[in-house]
Amino acid sequence: MKKRFLNFAIILILVITMILSENHQYTNKMVVETFNKESYANQNINNDILIGFVIGNKASFGESIYSRYFHLEIGDDFPEVPTVYVAKNYIHDGWIDEKGNVVTEFPEKVTETKTYTPVSKLGNYGKPIDIVFDSGKYGYFTDIEEGGYTTSELLTITSAVGEEYPNAPELKSVDKGYEFDYWRDPLGNKIKDFPNMVTEEGRYTAIWKMKNSSTTEPSEEPTDVPTESVEPTQTPEPTDIPTEPEESKPSELYTYTFKAGSNGKINGQTGDVKYIVKEGDSFPTVPTVTANKGYIFAGWINENKMEVESFPSIAEYSQIYVATWVKGFTVSFKLNEGIQNVTMNGEFSERILEYVKDNRGNIIEVYDNGTLLVPTNSNFSQYSLSTFAVPTINLASNKYAWYENGRKISRFPRTFTSSKEYILKLNSQR
């Protein structure tokens, strides 16, 4: 009887051992999502093969902030590679192994212990980015240039995605009673530290505060103070109570910058023309433009690359304007100074024809005193003929003449192909 019981006990122990062994093999193949590598050390049972997917810089696996490890055996199917999620403005750029080698593909079967880390990089790396600093209500920027110090309300620093973030420019106050406090972003957030790297466009406005030493406390109303009695016949002399002068609010300064662009000049120069105007003063005179050979002026755009249809009459805010140019040429017909009661095509004004060309030299648009002409059969070349371009004058031909560069001309070219300027003079003006 004891022998039978002993045999039964041995068989039961063997069965339990087999069940535990199978269960142990199963648990070894389960996914273990761990907080860190130390947690994995407690899961690495019996030196099984480990395949790990470790979270990288700016990269994770879905909503999980943990790395993922698989306890497997040699010959098992390679586990499913987790989906990678990256931070804003970043893109997934592949995987590297524990030695830093780039992983081009994952194996089908497990052969050895390996860990893999996702690599992320900035999207649009190298893309030009503008960082704009606004000097705010009481400040301006200082730049040392050939002409000395210049002031500007807006300062744009062009950088690129992935580059080191530029330092905030130096500020100076237009009023000694104010000092710089902090930078603010477009959402009104106070900027404590700028980013380390350029990832997107930025705009920051300087916020100013009054200095403690110049803060004027509100004056208190005089109170009745008991005084010693005086003789009835004596009347105290009235005394003037000194008051602090009311502090005047300084006018804001606005900077208007005009840029020549790449194919012309403004006010005869290729550099910028700047005007610093007080708030409420008249808008500065828009500079004259001169196109380089083969180009014509196409209008102004602002710093947001929007076409400028008209300029304001008074200074309202700082702005940057850039001259734009297109390929083409201009043919103009003007009256000499002092001429009256003479018309061109029935109008008491000059005639300016602007011919816009494409890259192949074909005329694609023609403007007559700013009005776009409609071509016949999609052909603009007819408008370059002198029979069309030269205006009709309400005078007999023997009473006037046309001049080019100070020289009288006897005839016009059959077709205009380059910029020309003609001046009409009366015979009495020669």
Side-chain angles (χ1 to χ4, degrees), residues 110-142:
V110 174
T111 58
E112 59 180 336
T113 294
K114 297 284 291 184
T115 57
Y116 302 93
T117 303
V119 178
S120 60
K121 70 175 184 180
L122 283 168
N124 298 323
Y125 187 88
K127 175 184 175 182
I129 291 292
D130 285 342
I131 309 297
V132 180
F133 294 91
D134 187 333
S135 60
K137 193 172 183 179
Y138 297 106
Y140 65 94
F141 303 114
T142 59

Side-chain angles (χ1 to χ4, degrees), residues 28-285:
N28 282 348
K29 297 183 181 182
M30 292 181 63
V31 178
V32 179
E33 191 175 65
T34 61
F35 288 84
N36 50 45
K37 292 184 178 180
E38 293 180 0
S39 300
Y40 154 71
N42 297 326
Q43 301 289 340
N44 191 10
I45 305 172
N46 295 336
N47 295 320
D48 293 334
I49 296 298
L50 171 74
I51 301 297
F53 297 96
V54 183
I55 59 174
N57 181 33
K58 304 295 183 181
S60 61
F61 308 126
E63 298 179 353
S64 174
I65 61 172
Y66 307 134
S67 301
R68 295 183 180 181
Y69 297 92
F70 295 80
H71 297 279
L72 302 168
E73 295 179 355
I74 295 178
D76 284 349
D77 290 338
F78 195 83
E80 181 180 357
V81 178
T83 302
V84 177
Y85 295 82
V86 294
K88 181 182 178 182
N89 299 321
Y90 284 78
I91 59 175
H92 181 210
D93 193 36
W95 296 81
I96 57 174
D97 63 13
E98 70 280 357
K99 297 179 180 179
N101 299 318
V102 176
V103 178
T104 56
E105 60 180 356
F106 293 96
E108 295 183 359
K109 299 291 184 179
V110 174
T111 58
E112 59 180 336
T113 294
K114 297 284 291 184
T115 57
Y116 302 93
T117 303
V119 178
S120 60
K121 70 175 184 180
L122 283 168
N124 298 323
Y125 187 88
K127 175 184 175 182
I129 291 292
D130 285 342
I131 309 297
V132 180
F133 294 91
D134 187 333
S135 60
K137 193 172 183 179
Y138 297 106
Y140 65 94
F141 303 114
T142 59
D143 298 318
I144 299 179
E145 298 180 354
E146 187 174 349
Y149 287 94
T150 61
T151 60
S152 175
E153 184 100 357
L154 288 176
L155 180 63
T156 301
I157 299 176
T158 300
S159 185
V161 173
E163 291 186 356
E164 183 179 356
Y165 212 83
N167 295 325
E170 181 183 356
L171 285 165
K172 287 193 175 182
S173 175
V174 298
D175 188 290
K176 295 182 179 180
Y178 288 83
E179 61 183 357
F180 173 73
D181 192 9
Y182 63 90
W183 291 101
R184 184 181 66 191
D185 67 13
L187 299 178
N189 300 317
K190 182 177 181 179
I191 303 300
K192 296 181 179 179
D193 296 299
F194 289 100
N196 295 323
M197 184 185 299
V198 175
T199 60
E200 58 186 350
E201 292 184 348
R203 187 183 181 103
Y204 306 96
T205 302
I207 304 300
W208 301 80
K209 65 179 180 179
M210 293 185 67
K211 294 181 179 178
N212 292 332
S213 58
S214 62
T215 301
T216 303
E217 297 291 338
S219 58
E220 298 181 355
E221 294 295 330
T223 56
D224 294 329
V225 180
T227 60
E228 296 181 1
S229 61
V230 296
E231 296 295 330
T233 57
Q234 294 180 348
T235 304
E237 292 292 333
T239 58
D240 295 331
I241 301 176
T243 58
E244 294 287 341
E246 184 177 352
E247 183 176 354
S248 59
K249 181 181 178 181
S251 299
E252 290 197 43
L253 296 177
Y254 297 128
T255 300
Y256 293 96
T257 304
F258 294 86
K259 295 179 175 291
S262 56
N263 295 299
K265 298 179 180 180
I266 53 177
N267 284 357
Q269 64 184 42
T270 57
D272 299 347
V273 174
K274 291 185 179 182
Y275 301 95
I276 300 175
V277 186
K278 289 184 179 181
E279 180 183 15
D281 284 357
S282 298
F283 190 83
T285 302

